[in-house]
Amino acid sequence: MLQKGTAKVYERFGPLLFPCGVPEYSGNLTLDELDAEYASVYISEEQQAITVSLFIYGPRFHIPLELTGKSSTSPEQLLAEQPIDDTHDAFLIDTGGKLGTLLVTAELDKEAPTKDCRATVRFTVWDPDAMDEPLQTIIAATNIFLDWSIIDANFDGYADFTCTYLRGNQPYYDHLWIWCEEHRQFEGVPEYDEISVPELDAETGTIYGFNRSSAGGTGLHTFHQWINGNLTCVRQIQIDSDSANTVRMSVRDRVAGELAEIYHEDFPLESGGWQDAQTAWHDLDYHGEPGGIYDIFQQQPVDDTHDAFLVSTGGRLGTLLVTAELAMENKDEFGARDITFSVWNPVDMEQPIQTFSEEFMMGVAPEFHHVVDADFDGFQDFGYLFHAGNQPYYRHYWLWDEVQGQFQYCAPLVEISQPVFDPERQVITGWARSSGAGDGINTFHRWEDGELVCVRRIESFSPWEEPSIVCVQDRINGELQQVYREEFPWPGEEPEGQEAWRQARYKWCDLDYHGEP
């Protein structure tokens, strides 16, 4: 092959030879004198040629390195070629992974604003060694011109990037995309969008944020950490001042999976005591003086038959402790057992202020409780998982009654599968899947004059070898009435029919949508 001016590189595995991922080369071969005793194949230090030393005692030759799909232009040269103006930007990110340095181009589209922002920005991620097509495209909303930063936001050794989308007098907010080495792409972290003026502390693995509310230094302090790969708020410090020259500090910690108020205190504005308290609570290892709510919670048993959690009611009693105890014996052949809940005021732990029991098909576990304002009245309530299937799951809920100073059982919420509470829209959505086809029932409930009513019900069916169906009922004159029904072809006959079926259900999940004109 050398005499013919061609060469092919193989890799040896035992007695077998396998061709390497290098095209067969035809052309000039540069021959050098032998300088190695045994055969070797390697890329030259200049990364311009593959060098081959033949076994044993023979000439060595170089194959010019022109790999298919590889760009001969350096990342820096590619960056210099990109347009940078009022609507375009570009930057390099050394991910620290196998792909190394990537090129990111950005384009601002003011003609396509989103619902909440004035413009849309499109980030395109390129591998400089393979510029035929991008690795990925990212679409985000923004209110300002492109302002990006390269950081390691999740402290994993790989570089990530942010883009500021909102800037005020003091606070500013960024979108964040973290590099996933496994998937070879950047992934968005919506929780980061809510952190004002984020500051990263790699030593403690914490992201700190502060949203100032006045020139006096009051406002909201947040502390986030990565827990099981998710960005999670572990502490909030809210400092507010009122017209009575009083400053209130409230601290909420993540306890048993929920944010609960574990401290609050009022300070005279001129005393400056709240500033000293703020400094103490900035230490995440500090949880208040001994004997406080946090200490009381830590003393509670949490095991196969016991659970405990905090509920920040928001009322005059403040944060309450709820303990749960599972009955030892089954009530029936299906394994149902009672759970007894005891509600305690941490200020006086001599006896609970309330005790009640309910039947459950599930046991107790820290992840089973759910603290939420279920009726959107400004007071926190709680639920506890009592039944879970392959997807549908149901909770018992108790609502806080500020007048009575107790929790009241709310039977209607039991009927809503996988409830999601949206305080902004005052809507409780539910979803119960029927099969692996993704069909099922969507429900939408609202509180009207203290009564929980269903305002929309969407039934979607996708039976085998039959048309798929979407049926919608709306609340009209106090009753659910059918306002839409449509059949879509079975996907085995018309594949596009399944997508049309999904889109129809998706449209009706918007309560402002009432069908085509």
Side-chain angles (χ1 to χ4, degrees), residues 489-500 502:
W490 177 59
E493 298 176 350
E494 296 183 26
E496 62 275 9
Q498 191 77 348
E499 181 60 27
R502 290 195 183 95

Side-chain angles (χ1 to χ4, degrees), residues 36-79:
E37 183 178 0
Y38 299 103
S40 62
V41 178
Y42 56 91
I43 297 178
S44 65
E45 292 183 1
E46 300 82 7
Q47 297 191 2
Q48 295 178 348
I50 290 180
T51 298
V52 182
S53 238
L54 300 183
F55 182 84
I56 295 176
Y57 302 112
R60 185 178 69 175
F61 62 90
H62 305 285
I63 304 175
L65 189 58
E66 296 179 356
L67 302 182
T68 302
K70 294 287 186 179
S71 171
S72 60
T73 307
S74 70
E76 290 74 18
Q77 290 174 315
L78 290 173
L79 177 63

Side-chain angles (χ1 to χ4, degrees), residues 172 192-194 201 335 339 397 445:
Y172 66 83
Y192 196 88
D193 292 7
E194 306 300 321
D201 186 341
I339 295 180
Y397 277 91
H445 286 75

Side-chain angles (χ1 to χ4, degrees), residues 311 313 320 343 354 380-382 398-400 406-408:
V311 180
T313 64
L320 302 176
V343 182
Q354 185 181 7
Q380 291 292 295
D381 318 304
F382 80 91
W398 288 267
L399 310 183
W400 177 251
Q406 290 190 337
F407 289 101
Q408 302 291 338

Side-chain angles (χ1 to χ4, degrees), residues 221-352:
H221 303 257
T222 59
F223 302 80
H224 286 74
Q225 292 180 336
W226 297 90
I227 300 177
N228 298 326
N230 298 314
L231 186 60
T232 306
C233 184
V234 297
R235 175 169 291 176
Q236 291 179 346
I237 304 175
Q238 180 73 52
I239 305 173
D240 296 313
S241 60
D242 58 24
S243 57
N245 291 324
T246 299
V247 174
R248 162 159 287 208
M249 174 181 290
S250 169
V251 179
R252 297 167 62 87
D253 263 9
R254 183 160 294 275
V255 181
E258 305 278 357
L259 281 175
E261 184 182 70
I262 63 172
Y263 165 86
H264 72 264
E265 188 171 352
D266 294 328
F267 299 89
L269 180 61
E270 66 277 3
S271 72
W274 61 274
Q275 295 173 329
D276 295 333
Q278 170 188 311
T279 300
W281 283 99
H282 270 247
D283 178 3
L284 293 182
D285 293 328
Y286 178 74
H287 298 283
E289 298 301 318
I293 295 177
Y294 188 84
D295 277 357
I296 293 173
F297 171 80
Q298 293 297 324
Q299 296 167 11
Q300 307 307 313
V302 177
D303 51 35
D304 290 342
T305 57
H306 296 83
D307 193 15
F309 52 96
L310 300 177
V311 180
S312 303
T313 64
R316 65 182 185 278
L317 295 184
T319 297
L320 302 176
L321 168 68
V322 180
T323 58
E325 183 174 4
L326 181 67
M328 299 302 295
E329 296 182 358
N330 292 345
K331 296 182 64 176
D332 55 35
E333 66 273 20
F334 300 106
R337 286 193 276 179
D338 282 343
I339 295 180
T340 298
F341 296 91
S342 299
V343 182
W344 306 79
N345 185 348
V347 176
D348 181 5
M349 292 291 291
E350 289 190 9
Q351 62 181 9

Side-chain angles (χ1 to χ4, degrees), residues 5 76 90 92 133 150 209 253 272 288 332 384 402 454 479:
E76 290 74 18
L92 299 177
E133 60 182 37
I150 298 174
D253 263 9
D332 55 35
Y384 212 88
E402 178 67 4
C454 183
E479 295 182 354

Side-chain angles (χ1 to χ4, degrees), residues 32 55 111 128 179 200 228 274-275 391 475:
D32 290 344
F55 182 84
E111 302 301 322
W179 176 252
L200 277 61
N228 298 326
W274 61 274
Q275 295 173 329
Q391 177 276 323
R475 189 173 187 83

